[in-house]
Structures are given as C-alpha cells and as structure tokens.
Amino acid sequence: MSTQDFTGLNICCKFTELFSDLEDFNENEQKQKIEEMNGLLEEMDKEEFKLVFTKELFDKINKMIGKKKMSLNNAFLLLKHAGFCRALFKIQNYDFNDSSLSERFEKMIIDENKKKKEKNEVRYLDLCECYFLLNKLFSSELLSICIPGLLKVALNKEKSEETQKEVELALLAMGVIEIDQKIEKDLYLNEMKEIIIYHQEHHNLTRLAYQSAWQFLMNRFDNDNSLEAVIVNELHFVREAIKELEELMKCVDWKKKKEEEKGKETKALTIIWRWIDTLGIFFDLCSSRNEEYSVLVESIVQAFRAAKDKNREIGKECFYIFESLAENEAIKIEDLIESGAVSLVLEEILRPTMDDEMTCDCLVLFVTLSSRLKEEKDDEKEEEKRKITKRKMFEKLEEEGYEDIIVSFHEPFDFLEQKFYYELSLDISDYFVNI
C-alpha cells in the first residue's frame, strides 16, 4: 500500500470514527466535531468521498434527525459542505438519491413551500441547497419550487464575503442540474441573464459562482437551441470564456509539482477544468459562426500545454473539445490550424510515452478533418476557400512528417479500434489530406 493510499484510508477511518460518535455529544460539541469532519472532507479525493458518503450514512443521518439526536442545523453544516465538495469536483456519487434522507428533505421542501406567513425562509433554502448539491435527478415539482428560491439568493448583489459565499453555493447548486432535466425558460432565463450581465459590469461574483452560472445555462442549451443567440450574442460567452481562462491560468504556478499545490491554486485548477468541461458542451452544440472562436481555441490549446503533465483531467477534457471542434461545421478548419490545435495534436501523436487512448483520439480527429476537407462545396466561393484551407492543412501536415506518422500507426489500427470502440477506419487513405 502506497503512502497516499494509507493517508486516504486514515482520513476515511477518522471521518467514520467521528461520525459514529456524534450521538454521544450535545449540539454545540456535535457542531465542533462536524467542523473537524468538514476539514477531513477537504482532504479527500473522489474515491475516498464515495467510500464515506454511502446510502447507509445518509440513512443514519435521517434516523438521527428523526430521533432528535442531530439538529437540522448541524445536519445542514455537514451536508452542505459534503454537497459543495461533490458539486465542485463533479463526483459521481448518487447514494443520496436512494436514501431515506433524500425522501425526508423532498417532503420538507414541499411542505415548507406550502406555508405562507409561517414559512422559514432560511430553512427552506438550506433544504433546497442540500437537496440539489447531493442529488442527481429532480422532479418537475422540485425544480419549480427550488429554482426561484436559489435564484433569489443568487440575485443578491452585495459584495460582502458572506454574501458571495451564499451566492456561490446557490449557483453551484443550480449548476449540478444536468442536461437531461428540462426547465422552462420562464423559470430562470431573465434572472440568469441579470446575474451574468451584472457580474460582467461590477465583478460581484466569485470565479466559481460565475462559472456555475454558465454551467447551468449551458446545460439548458442542450434542450433549447434558441439559447444560442442569448449565450453568444447577448451574454458574450466566447469573450467571457477567453477572459476567464486567461485570468485563471495566471493563478497557477505551472512549474510546481501537483503535491505542492495549496488552497487557492488547487481551486483555480479545478475551475479551469470546470470551464473546459463547459466549453465541451458549448462546442458540441453551437451552430453559428463567431470570429472569436480561433482565440478561444488558442486559449484551450494553452491550457492543454500548461496542464498536460500537471492535471490529466484538464488534458483529457481539452482533447474531447478538439474532437468536437473537428466535427462541428460552425468551426472553420483554419481556426484549428491558426490556433495551434492541429500542431498540438501532431505533437501528442509523436510522444513516445503517450497512451493508446490518446493515440485513438488523435487519429479520430485527423480522420474527421480529412473527411471535411474532401467534401466539395456547391458554392464557388466556398469551394475556393475549401481548396485554400486544404492546401494549408496539407502543408502543415507535410511539414510535420504526418504521412510517416500515420504509416507507422497503420498496423495497430485494428487493435486500437477493438480496444476503444472508436470504429477507426482501417483504410489508411482516410487519414490523409491530398491536393
């Protein structure tokens, strides 16, 4: 067992030990123990989090609340922090969904929402945040109840640190609502536009809060193509993404080893990864041309170059985007050449230590680009542009010795295709751009 594994095991054991003793303490002592547990939570990686936050743990919390052995405030203190960590790092843990605690919170939210004068607004919002941060799927009723409350918090424009934290948590909770959850625009669009535009003018949100607002909006884009005009033209997503990536990249000392990262720098890396993930959704869906795409792709290339040996998750997300860019007809192939994306992929395919999966990604990308460049255009001007781009691509590939690279990979094509299910072409001519 490695030192890292042993440390992780110790963290999990310590957390579990503290949790099992909570019933023995009064409310104030319990609060202190939970704060200690929250400190341990911040040291856990994704797998350790999933080991600790099981259905059994959530069921146990539910019983403790029911028997009045844990106050709701103390439960919120623990669960909000757990939900924050789960949402921040996008941990795939759905044990809360099937727990009795999820049922309790759902009922409490509905019951609290029915109240008029007696409604406890603070409790209601705490319930909404916990429920959204820890859950995966939400009924239409829960969405219609909780989103207005979360938006009300997110619309608070004060710049105090306490308010910023509340706004950040509310937007993070909304950002976890996944792509397959349909939400009517009337429920959120005007408010979300106000939040984003106000921040662009006054910079009142934290970086995580701002990214989460875009994440929520981008997740809605998948079910509503009409949002593209709002996202690109009204809210200037491309310009904002370029600016945010540029500023976040400055927050990281890329020469530091991963184990030396501390606090703000680790969070900056996480937010860069979240932005790259959001950009992946955007480039999968966008259908209109924007002149700033080339600059944005260049930002992604820079993020990949900086992070490839420091943060593998950022590197993988960047490559998913390159594949989307190659497939999306709204993205000009010139953008991929001029931004450095083509050169980067060529460099990666030449690396002696690269893995088979990355090799597959590179090959898929070149097959896609080759296919696009072979498609003749009916419009005379567009056909002339295609020929110019094709020559540019040919010259770039010839300069880098691309043909020799592909020939050297021809033998393992079948192995890679079987291993990664990419249905790689076994016809070597599909990988070439000829003029």
Side-chain angles (χ1 to χ4, degrees), residues 108-166:
M108 289 177 74
I109 289 168
I110 293 168
D111 290 347
E112 199 68 48
N113 186 61
K114 289 176 182 176
K115 296 177 182 177
K116 301 301 178 185
K117 293 180 181 179
E118 312 86 25
K119 184 176 181 179
N120 185 328
E121 195 71 26
V122 174
R123 175 178 291 184
Y124 162 68
L125 290 170
D126 282 338
L127 285 164
C128 290
E129 286 172 351
C130 285
Y131 187 78
F132 270 63
L133 289 166
L134 290 166
N135 224 322
K136 175 175 169 60
L137 294 173
F138 314 95
S139 66
S140 298
E141 182 181 15
L142 263 291
L143 288 169
S144 65
I145 290 173
C146 293
I147 285 177
L150 293 171
L151 281 170
K152 186 177 178 181
V153 175
L155 281 162
N156 191 334
K157 297 178 174 65
E158 291 179 28
K159 277 192 173 183
S160 71
E161 188 175 344
E162 185 180 351
T163 298
Q164 282 192 323
K165 284 182 179 178
E166 290 173 356

